[in-house]
Amino acid sequence: ASLSLRFVFPLISLEGEALWKIRSAPINFNALLRKRLTIYFLIIFFIGQLISFFSNLQFPVALSLVAQLNSALTSITLISLNFGMGGIFANYRERNAIRLASSSGASITFLLTLIYLLIIIVVLFFPVSNYFYSEANGLNISIWNLLSTSIVLAVLALIVSYTFIKLGLKSFRQDV
């Protein structure tokens, strides 16, 4: 969450005063933005997967795989959220990415990030608690309960990601 706020949120704004040059060039600017986003996405996604992998080594393999999947969905969503909100709160005059990442728009983005993470906790709380309860008491519970919550998170991730990427690109077209 913090990496995407620091690096993805200011992505559109950092085009700055040279924006008119980029927009007047015979290139598809949305494709250029997607390529730039892909670079940051791959780096942040890889770091998130590494953190998830090493923090779940002590758990059973099935639970670790579900955690990897949920971590991937969360990374995708948070990167998309930061990209979209960065487009909505674009400031083309600011050259310092750190100031952009601590602006009022970034604070609102961070608040939305916290709300999203709270939703994830609410969705995962009971299935994960039931899984550990059954393990501790020798009951046989299927990993499918956890995978069903991953499907809910996948649908949520698709909706949030699509919405915020579209909002970011749309707001960029309106700003120019």
Side-chain angles (χ1 to χ4, degrees):
S2 63
L3 286 175
S4 60
L5 184 64
R6 168 61 180 87
F7 294 105
V8 177
F9 180 82
L11 193 65
I12 293 176
S13 295
L14 289 179
E15 299 303 331
E17 298 292 326
L19 186 66
W20 65 271
K21 293 177 188 175
I22 295 170
R23 292 296 288 176
S24 63
I27 60 171
N28 182 353
F29 189 70
N30 287 346
L32 177 68
L33 268 179
R34 280 190 214 109
K35 287 178 186 174
R36 289 184 63 197
L37 177 63
T38 301
I39 294 167
Y40 288 108
F41 170 79
L42 291 175
I43 293 168
I44 294 170
F45 185 81
F46 181 70
I47 291 170
Q49 289 300 99
L50 279 177
I51 290 171
S52 178
F53 175 76
F54 286 114
S55 63
N56 289 304
L57 281 176
Q58 62 192 359
F59 300 117
V61 174
L63 186 62
S64 296
L65 290 175
V66 171
Q68 287 293 121
L69 175 63
N70 292 339
S71 174
L73 293 170
T74 303
S75 296
I76 292 167
T77 306
L78 292 179
I79 292 167
S80 302
L81 176 90
N82 280 283
F83 178 75
M85 293 297 284
I88 292 170
F89 292 103
N91 179 0
Y92 299 110
R93 295 177 194 232
E94 182 61 59
R95 293 182 183 185
N96 189 337
I98 295 173
R99 284 191 195 145
L100 287 168
S102 45
S103 65
S104 59
S107 297
I108 293 169
T109 304
F110 185 67
L111 179 63
L112 289 176
T113 299
L114 290 177
I115 291 170
Y116 179 73
L117 293 175
L118 180 66
I119 290 170
I120 290 174
I121 291 169
V122 167
V123 168
L124 291 175
F125 179 75
F126 287 114
V128 172
S129 294
N130 289 340
Y131 179 81
F132 283 114
Y133 177 78
S134 67
E135 287 287 319
N137 294 322
L139 302 173
N140 189 9
I141 189 168
S142 174
I143 199 71
W144 295 108
N145 292 338
L146 291 173
L147 279 175
S148 64
T149 58
S150 296
I151 293 170
V152 171
L153 290 179
V155 169
L156 183 64
L158 278 171
I159 292 169
V160 171
S161 298
Y162 179 79
T163 303
F164 278 97
I165 286 178
K166 285 294 182 186
L167 282 174
L169 292 174
K170 181 180 177 185
S171 67
F172 172 74
R173 280 186 240 118
Q174 290 175 351
D175 288 344
V176 178

